[in-house]
Amino acid sequence: MLAREYFDQRIMGTVFGAAIMLAQHGMALGPVAGGWIFDTYHDYRWAISERSTAIALAATGGLHFTFPPLPRAQPEGMAA
């Protein structure tokens, strides 16, 4: 939905390609980071609770400030 609203149809392949590439990098690095945390702390609670919450808040904040507001639709009959 975000891709369709914010980007032109001509570059949709590039937008989805970039999104999928970033998701794959996260999926590739996640197990490595989880393994390092388990090897270091001998427990997964640290990774799941504090780090997951911090990453989720950072991602949400980053998306909030990255995307500009959608332009408001003008009522019919109004000139731009």
Side-chain angles (χ1 to χ4, degrees):
M1 178 86 179
L2 284 174
R4 195 187 85 217
E5 293 291 329
Y6 283 101
F7 299 102
D8 190 30
Q9 186 174 355
R10 293 176 292 139
I11 63 166
M12 204 54 61
T14 302
V15 170
F16 281 117
I20 291 170
M21 180 188 66
L22 291 171
Q24 288 176 341
H25 284 304
M27 287 184 269
L29 295 176
V32 174
W36 178 83
I37 289 170
F38 185 80
D39 289 345
T40 303
Y41 297 102
H42 305 290
D43 196 4
Y44 282 117
R45 283 182 283 182
W46 187 83
I48 294 170
S49 61
E50 287 87 5
R51 291 295 169 153
S52 294
T53 302
I55 290 170
L57 289 174
T60 303
L63 282 175
H64 176 73
F65 291 113
T66 301
F67 285 100
L70 286 172
R72 295 189 186 262
Q74 297 216 356
E76 290 185 34
M78 299 286 289

